[in-house]
Amino acid sequence: MLRATGASVIGPGHLQACTPNQDAMRVGGVRGGWFAAVADGLGSRELSHIGSRLAVQQVRLAWSGQPDAGYARDAEETRASIRRLYQSWLRAIPAAPPGMYATTLLAASCDADGACCLAQLGDGLIVYRTAGKFGVLGEAPHGLRSGFGNETEALGVTKSFSAWRTDRVALVEPGDGVMLMTDGIADDVRPERLEAFFTHVLDQAGRRSRRAGRRWLERQMNAWPTALHSDDKSIALIFLDKR
């Protein structure tokens, strides 16, 4: 059975400073399958917390507006799907320069048969297991950070399709899944520990209902072991249950 869950928490440093959560997360069902999205607003942009919330909202609206909209089967469909998503986000933001709302975006859309399309712009990580084999969505074309002031690629900043990382994977065996993480989590998980982290989180989520899984994720992120961490944290999962 294909399942999904996710959570987002504000970092303690931001909480203390009364700064809104610049991350956003959204998970939902689409035509028998699931979509998931996480976004991280750029801290240097005043309205990025709004941009991140609108970004994850638009994933579902843009990818469910027509049959198979989020299930791109080739490079041209992938390009069209991302263009549709970006244009939907631009229409959703209030009247202000898009750069004021700049945000990263990581998204996955899986149909009822487990065929998944993955797309990422900016920091964070998408990891997956397909047919029991673990993988990480490819590196950014110009590295993880390449903008002015060391800013990441982002909606409202980056217009080039080549900045997006995309792939198509299939969830075919129990334990296969996709995990999306903003950099508040991804930056603290060592590369050699990624697969173990992925396995542990999916195993714990698989033992719980969607709501209980969200609460468990929130507890883990609020108790994050990195000393003096301030970054917001968001994670979303789509997976084939082992049961």
Side-chain angles (χ1 to χ4, degrees):
M1 179 176 63
L2 200 63
R3 297 178 56 196
T5 191
S8 181
V9 300
I10 188 169
H14 292 170
L15 187 63
Q16 186 176 12
C18 297
T19 301
N21 190 346
Q22 293 170 336
D23 275 13
M25 185 282 305
R26 198 172 181 95
V27 171
V30 178
R31 299 186 303 279
W34 291 91
F35 81 93
V38 298
D40 181 2
L42 272 58
S44 61
R45 306 302 175 102
E46 183 179 356
L47 302 174
S48 66
H49 60 290
I50 298 174
S52 63
R53 290 201 300 271
L54 291 174
V56 298
Q57 291 172 6
Q58 294 308 310
V59 170
R60 178 172 188 170
L61 296 176
W63 282 0
S64 64
Q66 54 183 291
D68 299 329
Y71 308 136
R73 294 181 176 84
D74 56 35
E76 187 56 39
E77 286 187 10
T78 298
R79 182 184 293 268
S81 178
I82 287 175
R83 183 185 305 116
R84 184 165 51 246
L85 174 58
Y86 204 160
Q87 291 173 345
S88 179
W89 180 79
L90 288 172
R91 289 192 297 269
I93 61 176
M100 296 290 289
Y101 299 89
T103 180
T104 69
L105 180 61
L106 296 76
S109 180
C110 301
D111 68 16
D113 295 322
C116 301
C117 287
L118 315 178
Q120 176 176 350
L121 180 65
D123 288 352
L125 276 178
I126 297 180
V127 298
Y128 55 85
R129 181 180 289 129
T130 175
K133 185 177 180 180
F134 181 75
V136 180
L137 189 63
E139 293 296 319
H142 305 294
L144 286 178
R145 295 183 182 272
S146 58
F148 173 79
N150 209 34
E151 283 190 341
T152 184
E153 308 278 13
L155 298 177
V157 174
T158 308
K159 297 181 180 180
S160 173
F161 176 76
S162 65
W164 288 80
R165 282 156 278 174
T166 64
D167 205 351
R168 294 179 295 278
V169 301
L171 310 184
V172 296
E173 297 180 2
D176 282 358
V178 175
M179 178 186 294
L180 293 66
M181 301 173 277
T182 57
D183 61 359
I185 296 175
D187 285 357
D188 282 346
V189 182
R190 297 193 306 272
E192 66 271 18
R193 294 291 301 163
L194 272 174
E195 184 172 2
F197 178 73
F198 173 91
T199 299
H200 175 68
V201 173
L202 259 68
D203 181 64
Q204 293 296 319
R207 299 178 184 183
R208 295 166 167 82
S209 67
R210 181 181 172 188
R211 180 178 297 180
R214 184 186 71 243
R215 290 197 298 264
W216 180 83
L217 289 168
E218 289 172 346
R219 289 195 300 270
Q220 302 308 304
M221 291 188 291
N222 282 323
W224 199 250
T226 302
L228 304 177
H229 72 97
S230 63
D231 206 1
D232 308 319
K233 293 172 173 59
S234 296
I235 191 167
L237 325 167
I238 303 174
F239 59 98
L240 273 177
D241 200 341
K242 292 183 179 180
R243 291 177 294 179

